[in-house]
Amino acid sequence: MNGAESLVRTLVDGGINVCFTNPGTSEMHFVAALDKVDGMRCVLALFEGVVTGAADGYWRMKGTPAATLLHLGPGLGNGLANLHNAKKANSGAVNIVGEHATHHIQYDAPLTADIEGIAWPVSHWVKTSTDAKAVAKDGAEAIHVASTAPGQIASLILPGDTAWNEGSGPEAVPVIAPRAKASDEAVRHAARLLEKGEGTMLLLTGEGVKERGLALAGAIAQKTGARILAQGSNACLQRGAGRVPVDRVPFPVPQAVEMLADVQRMILVEARPPVAFFGYPDRPSVLTQDGCELHRLTELSEDSIDALERLADAVGAKIEDAPVQQPFTPEVPAGALDPAKIAAVLGNVIPENAIVVDESVTTGRNFYPFTAGAPPHDWLQNMGGSIGYGMPVAVGAGVACPDRKVLALVGDGSGMYTVQALWTMARENLDITVVIWANRTYQILKGEFNNVGAGNPGMKAKDMLDIDRPDLGWVDMAKGMGVPSARIDTCEGLMAEMRRGLATPGPYLIEAVL
Amino acid sequence: MNGAESLVRTLVDGGINVCFTNPGTSEMHFVAALDKVDGMRCVLALFEGVVTGAADGYWRMKGTPAATLLHLGPGLGNGLANLHNAKKANSGAVNIVGEHATHHIQYDAPLTADIEGIAWPVSHWVKTSTDAKAVAKDGAEAIHVASTAPGQIASLILPGDTAWNEGSGPEAVPVIAPRAKASDEAVRHAARLLEKGEGTMLLLTGEGVKERGLALAGAIAQKTGARILAQGSNACLQRGAGRVPVDRVPFPVPQAVEMLADVQRMILVEARPPVAFFGYPDRPSVLTQDGCELHRLTELSEDSIDALERLADAVGAKIEDAPVQQPFTPEVPAGALDPAKIAAVLGNVIPENAIVVDESVTTGRNFYPFTAGAPPHDWLQNMGGSIGYGMPVAVGAGVACPDRKVLALVGDGSGMYTVQALWTMARENLDITVVIWANRTYQILKGEFNNVGAGNPGMKAKDMLDIDRPDLGWVDMAKGMGVPSARIDTCEGLMAEMRRGLATPGPYLIEAVL
């Protein structure tokens, strides 16, 4: 058994049965091993940003890592932006990055690059295998790292000869420690802050914005008079009718500051202290008021459900008292599309148990209240801020959850970064409905231009913000990648096409022209 | 004048009048400055791999750097693969990478990343500006670095506040040193090796494969009985009727070894000692025979034209004696396409002074002999081996040389990595004819699978090498990005559509189905 086969067996035995790939010469032995080892589903993408974004989406839905297969430094580089997003989402992934054979690296051939240097900024763990006998053990270590709470990026670099030389057989993955418990003092102090009632807020993310975490937090808030709020972005927020509703920290700084103005005590459940997405000349970076006490209940790696249960006990809150969202359906809108009307359409069509991957950017700022009463669904957001995350994450979610409907809501500017994801959706016949908000501009930047104090864009600046020359034809691009599609520009059309896309298996793209 | 304006003025005053951009919030002041400063052409791309590849192509044709504008670490990451290619091509470029305002970095907002860490593996110089007063000086230094022979990648990281605070006015670029001269001993020793006649080879790249370099090398070879050969890949090789013809080191190791089998003395003109593109289990990394003497006439940073002139003098060679390529046109082929017939079509249609950007991979291995007698043209190749370089480099070449025809020959697998380049071609109405070789497979990997000793791919492996499920519709994708297009599958069709594409201004895409 060569090194590559020992690695693939280690991955499969270690519970990794999906590999998102874009291989090259140096990964051919890994690819060959797939023929010999059962149990690994390989999903090809035509660009590495799709590969790494899919691994992010897979983790978010499964909580276990997928592998990626990438071609040397530049292949890893192409996957860098979505690895950045995955790292910020605390998604675990095992990257297998091919490298020249060890004896060949010294010759500085065209593809030679500092792969470890490229990997480190987006990885928690980087290792280059030194020989074929070490590969299986290195692979097992990578799985261990990737699976360790809250999820980490492990990048294993695999020189060609470590794949083709005789290996040592598969290795077992070391036992993965369960999430640590929050300290008694952390729970006790949170309870003390909650006793002060109004002016106390639970800021939630991670397990704290999943169904049970929200139910517990909602019960605590109900009992104590505290407020609950979710981070601005969350890897997977569970919401909809029958669940405890939660709002998020808004993107615009003035709105965020206003929302947090009365918060004197903030209890952080995995969440980071709230800060602005960007720094601006005349706006604060820290969104809480001076003097607001920040108290961490759980780190990202800790067991928030346990901590919230203990906190609920401490304050005498009962989960059945948590106020849950009543089902509601917004009035059906008509006529030309605008963000509010789009939100109303969404509130009418999101199906039960859907996975909504939201990269709507400006178009989506109204979506939350209108969709709050839809059937229960998961809402996935961009955690690293690098646009182009949406369609790849939808690919990963679709692979992870073949029995669920995936709805990818994507701005046209964002969608173009990783447009190649459409082809993988078609190849794998993933049940994903993609809606492209075609406003034909980097709309967010028009606001940001003013927010940073640059005034109003002139002709040359505007030219860098508009993407309407030429208009992008999403229906044609989807067709070119094998995804059926339709273009609409009315609420009636959007409603009908979304229902069609969600009702039929396989991918479907809707170009919604604003 | 704020820092951003001082930087843009420094760039324009320093001779940089093209900026390829994909900006975000942190670059808005730079964008705003474009409205205030004349003389900078900004070219927007929808993905950063297009931005950085375009800068590579621009340098190759102009020999002076363009700027790029990239959005924090992930934006730089998206441009990494083509920066790798540009660095390996010895292309100079000035990357302006936005960063959070200095006071905001500490808060680890979503887009915060180790930008310097991401930049270093693909840069010769990396600097983060510390305040607005320093920005102009840092920009001048970046231009100086980028312009220093043979061309370097300078990455200047620009925190938001260094752009919006009061700057210090534009700075002049320090004097750029001319290329150094080769030592007398380097020339004398080369002359001694040439006296031995047969068994001596001049291996050329850089200025050595431009018209005058080849003429000098050809004269030297003619006089001494030595052979000339070009590197396997070259940034810009000038060829065609009336120029000294030169073959290249082949990609397959056995052919390369055979071509170099009789070489006992190799004189390197900017070229690297020839090595295999990849390492293989049973093939050498070094392509020359044991005992072959390698002698460096010029480093990449040295003046090869001067050195070759001195060497010609030393051996008594006269440039007018160099044997030049006679014009010839291959017989017009007919019927279904195959690589040899495609090459014959190219030999019939390449127009005078064309810029051919070759990313044909396997389809193109026959192109060289059939196109040798075409009218004089430039041939650009992938220097870093990361596919997806072709269409972006064509964009840069088209911007640099609006009066020349650009012909981009691109494999379908390669084209997909940076397919967004088509939109920029349409927006800027660049005179580029793109031909996509649609063999619907990563054909090179099928050979490499065997070359690395993995035998023949089984069903699962083959699935990672074929991209025919679904077939890519290039005509549709081009239409979706505003580029007129046609699909053909015969020699007659290819000939007609290439003539149409080359005859009409603006971009045109031909999907050639093999």
Side-chain angles (χ1 to χ4, degrees):
Chain A
M1 178 183 310
N2 65 20
E5 187 179 336
S6 79
L7 176 58
V8 175
R9 287 193 187 280
T10 298
L11 294 174
V12 172
D13 294 354
I16 297 195
N17 45 33
V18 169
C19 183
F20 298 99
T21 76
N22 186 262
T25 295
S26 41
E27 296 80 54
M28 284 299 100
H29 280 276
F30 188 100
V31 170
L34 300 173
D35 285 325
K36 295 185 190 146
V37 183
D38 286 335
M40 179 69 84
R41 176 180 180 186
C42 277
V43 177
L44 181 65
L46 301 181
F47 173 69
E48 296 88 343
V50 181
V51 168
T52 54
D56 182 4
Y58 185 90
W59 171 277
R60 293 193 196 201
M61 301 322 299
K62 283 276 202 190
T64 59
T68 69
L69 186 63
L70 302 165
H71 188 45
L72 293 99
L76 174 62
N78 278 335
L80 203 96
N82 272 335
L83 283 175
H84 166 90
N85 286 331
K87 187 179 175 211
K88 296 277 183 167
N90 306 297
S91 292
V94 174
N95 300 316
I96 312 290
V97 187
E99 165 63 300
H100 286 307
T102 50
H103 62 269
H104 195 69
I105 296 174
Q106 63 187 301
Y107 298 110
D108 197 18
L111 272 165
T112 305
D114 175 10
I115 304 180
E116 291 197 3
I118 297 170
W120 269 119
V122 288
S123 303
H124 297 85
W125 178 96
V126 178
K127 188 167 194 178
T128 302
S129 278
T130 53
D131 65 81
K133 302 272 187 228
V135 165
K137 192 155 185 298
D138 292 341
E141 192 182 344
I143 298 170
H144 182 260
V145 168
S147 308
T148 296
Q152 302 188 96
I153 308 294
S155 297
L156 174 60
I157 299 163
L158 198 64
D161 52 333
T162 70
W164 71 57
N165 284 335
E166 185 65 19
S168 62
E171 285 272 344
V173 178
V175 174
I176 292 154
R179 284 172 178 258
K181 305 291 186 200
S183 71
D184 286 337
E185 179 49 29
V187 176
R188 269 198 304 268
H189 189 64
R192 282 195 291 270
L193 296 181
L194 287 163
E195 276 168 21
K196 302 188 180 168
E198 268 182 46
T200 304
M201 173 179 276
L202 288 153
L203 188 72
L204 310 158
T205 196
E207 291 302 311
V209 295
K210 300 248 176 108
E211 184 164 20
R212 184 160 173 81
L214 281 170
L216 289 161
I220 292 165
Q222 176 74 7
K223 173 76 182 183
T224 62
R227 288 158 65 197
I228 64 171
L229 192 67
Q231 259 189 190
S233 288
N234 301 280
C236 179
L237 188 151
Q238 297 188 317
R239 62 196 297 267
R243 290 173 168 168
V244 170
V246 67
D247 206 348
R248 299 168 303 181
V249 180
F251 177 90
V253 172
Q255 288 169 241
V257 167
E258 190 188 337
M259 186 177 273
L260 301 176
D262 297 331
V263 179
Q264 295 155 47
R265 294 163 297 276
M266 183 175 277
I267 299 168
L268 301 168
V269 181
E270 298 187 42
R272 306 180 59 81
V275 297
F277 205 94
F278 290 104
Y280 303 91
D282 301 315
R283 293 179 179 176
S285 289
V286 173
L287 300 175
T288 45
Q289 296 297 315
D290 284 350
C292 173
E293 180 182 349
L294 297 173
H295 169 61
R296 180 160 291 291
L297 178 66
T298 48
E299 301 282 353
L300 279 163
S301 58
E302 291 179 327
D303 185 342
S304 294
I305 301 303
D306 171 80
L308 287 168
E309 284 171 346
R310 287 154 61 201
L311 186 56
D313 284 348
V315 301
K318 292 189 176 16
I319 199 165
E320 57 269 27
D321 296 336
V324 298
Q325 175 68 51
Q326 295 307 304
F328 78 85
T329 309
E331 195 176 337
V332 175
L337 296 170
D338 67 35
K341 289 200 235 170
I342 289 170
V345 172
L346 292 179
N348 277 274
V349 300
I350 290 176
E352 184 160 353
N353 211 25
I355 301 164
V356 180
V357 182
D358 182 16
E359 192 169 28
S360 303
V361 196
T362 50
T363 305
R365 291 204 180 146
N366 287 309
F367 287 178
Y368 235 53
F370 285 87
T371 55
H377 59 274
D378 292 352
W379 198 277
L380 280 56
Q381 291 176 276
N382 189 341
M383 299 289 282
S386 179
I387 52 179
Y389 106 103
M391 294 200 288
V393 164
V395 165
V399 169
C401 302
D403 299 330
R404 297 175 66 177
K405 297 285 177 187
V406 180
L407 180 56
L409 309 174
V410 184
D412 50 359
S414 298
M416 281 306 292
Y417 290 82
T418 47
V419 64
Q420 304 92 339
L422 292 170
W423 182 85
T424 299
M425 292 181 195
R427 165 175 266 225
E428 300 290 329
N429 197 33
L430 301 175
D431 199 3
I432 302 172
T433 299
V434 178
V435 189
I436 301 290
W437 310 119
N439 63 9
R440 295 164 177 172
T441 171
Y442 291 128
Q443 183 63 35
I444 190 170
L445 295 184
K446 293 191 179 166
E448 292 291 83
F449 197 92
N450 185 270
N451 288 341
V452 299
N456 290 313
M459 206 180 68
K460 286 171 74 181
K462 223 171 147 294
D463 213 35
M464 297 298 103
L465 310 181
D466 283 325
I467 59 174
D468 63 345
R469 185 168 56 81
D471 282 340
L472 289 160
W474 283 92
V475 165
D476 297 310
M477 289 191 284
K479 186 177 169 206
M481 285 181 266
V483 172
S485 54
R487 178 181 294 125
I488 53 85
D489 60 3
T490 62
C491 293
E492 293 83 349
L494 180 61
M495 182 91 89
E497 291 299 331
M498 287 195 73
R499 287 197 163 133
R500 179 201 308 267
L502 289 162
T504 49
Y508 194 68
L509 181 139
I510 301 158
E511 178 180 348
V513 180
L514 274 78
Chain B
M1 179 182 312
N2 65 21
E5 187 179 337
S6 79
L7 176 58
V8 174
R9 288 193 186 280
T10 297
L11 293 174
V12 172
D13 294 353
I16 297 194
N17 44 34
V18 170
C19 183
F20 299 100
T21 74
N22 186 261
T25 295
S26 41
E27 296 79 54
M28 283 300 100
H29 280 275
F30 188 100
V31 170
L34 300 172
D35 283 326
K36 294 184 194 148
V37 183
D38 284 335
M40 180 68 85
R41 176 179 178 186
C42 277
V43 176
L44 181 65
L46 301 181
F47 172 68
E48 295 88 342
V50 181
V51 168
T52 55
D56 182 4
Y58 185 89
W59 170 277
R60 293 194 196 201
M61 301 322 299
K62 284 276 200 188
T64 58
T68 70
L69 186 62
L70 302 164
H71 188 47
L72 294 98
L76 175 62
N78 278 336
L80 202 98
N82 272 336
L83 282 176
H84 167 90
N85 286 331
K87 187 180 174 212
K88 296 277 182 167
N90 307 296
S91 293
V94 174
N95 300 316
I96 312 290
V97 187
E99 166 63 301
H100 286 307
T102 51
H103 62 267
H104 195 69
I105 295 174
Q106 64 185 304
Y107 298 110
D108 196 18
L111 272 165
T112 305
D114 175 8
I115 304 180
E116 291 198 3
I118 297 169
W120 268 118
V122 289
S123 303
H124 298 85
W125 178 96
V126 177
K127 188 167 192 177
T128 303
S129 278
T130 52
D131 65 83
K133 302 271 187 229
V135 165
K137 192 154 186 300
D138 293 341
E141 191 182 345
I143 298 170
H144 183 259
V145 169
S147 308
T148 297
Q152 302 189 97
I153 308 293
S155 297
L156 175 60
I157 300 163
L158 198 63
D161 51 333
T162 70
W164 72 55
N165 284 336
E166 185 65 18
S168 63
E171 284 274 343
V173 178
V175 174
I176 292 155
R179 282 171 179 261
K181 305 291 184 197
S183 71
D184 286 337
E185 180 49 29
V187 175
R188 269 199 304 270
H189 190 63
R192 281 196 292 271
L193 296 180
L194 287 163
E195 277 168 21
K196 302 187 181 170
E198 270 182 41
T200 303
M201 174 178 275
L202 288 153
L203 188 72
L204 310 159
T205 196
E207 291 302 310
V209 296
K210 299 249 175 107
E211 184 163 23
R212 184 161 173 82
L214 281 169
L216 289 161
I220 292 165
Q222 176 73 6
K223 173 76 180 181
T224 62
R227 288 157 66 198
I228 63 170
L229 192 68
Q231 260 190 189
S233 288
N234 302 278
C236 179
L237 189 151
Q238 297 188 318
R239 63 194 299 265
R243 289 173 170 168
V244 170
V246 66
D247 207 349
R248 299 168 303 181
V249 179
F251 177 90
V253 172
Q255 289 169 239
V257 168
E258 191 188 335
M259 186 177 273
L260 301 176
D262 297 331
V263 180
Q264 296 155 45
R265 295 163 296 278
M266 184 174 276
I267 299 168
L268 300 168
V269 181
E270 298 189 41
R272 308 179 58 82
V275 297
F277 205 93
F278 289 105
Y280 303 92
D282 301 315
R283 294 180 179 176
S285 289
V286 173
L287 301 175
T288 45
Q289 296 296 312
D290 283 351
C292 173
E293 180 183 348
L294 297 173
H295 169 61
R296 179 158 294 289
L297 179 65
T298 47
E299 301 282 354
L300 278 163
S301 58
E302 290 178 328
D303 185 342
S304 294
I305 301 303
D306 172 79
L308 287 168
E309 284 171 347
R310 287 155 60 200
L311 185 56
D313 285 348
V315 301
K318 291 191 176 13
I319 201 165
E320 55 271 26
D321 296 336
V324 299
Q325 176 69 52
Q326 296 306 304
F328 79 85
T329 309
E331 196 177 333
V332 175
L337 296 170
D338 66 35
K341 290 201 238 173
I342 288 170
V345 172
L346 293 180
N348 277 274
V349 301
I350 291 177
E352 183 159 353
N353 211 23
I355 301 164
V356 180
V357 182
D358 182 16
E359 192 169 29
S360 303
V361 197
T362 52
T363 305
R365 291 205 181 146
N366 288 306
F367 287 177
Y368 235 53
F370 285 88
T371 55
H377 59 275
D378 293 352
W379 199 277
L380 280 57
Q381 290 176 276
N382 189 340
M383 300 288 282
S386 179
I387 53 179
Y389 105 104
M391 293 200 287
V393 164
V395 165
V399 168
C401 302
D403 298 331
R404 298 176 66 177
K405 295 285 175 186
V406 180
L407 180 56
L409 309 174
V410 184
D412 50 359
S414 298
M416 281 306 291
Y417 290 82
T418 46
V419 65
Q420 304 91 341
L422 292 169
W423 182 84
T424 299
M425 293 181 194
R427 165 175 268 225
E428 299 291 328
N429 197 32
L430 301 176
D431 198 2
I432 303 172
T433 300
V434 178
V435 189
I436 300 291
W437 311 118
N439 63 8
R440 295 164 176 171
T441 170
Y442 290 128
Q443 183 63 34
I444 191 170
L445 293 184
K446 293 190 177 166
E448 293 290 84
F449 197 91
N450 186 270
N451 289 340
V452 299
N456 291 313
M459 205 179 69
K460 283 171 75 179
K462 224 171 145 295
D463 212 35
M464 296 298 103
L465 310 180
D466 284 326
I467 58 173
D468 63 345
R469 185 166 56 79
D471 283 340
L472 289 161
W474 283 93
V475 165
D476 297 311
M477 288 190 284
K479 186 178 170 205
M481 285 181 265
V483 172
S485 55
R487 179 181 293 126
I488 53 85
D489 59 4
T490 64
C491 293
E492 293 84 348
L494 180 61
M495 183 91 88
E497 291 299 332
M498 286 194 73
R499 287 199 163 133
R500 180 200 306 267
L502 289 162
T504 47
Y508 194 67
L509 181 139
I510 301 159
E511 178 180 347
V513 180
L514 272 77

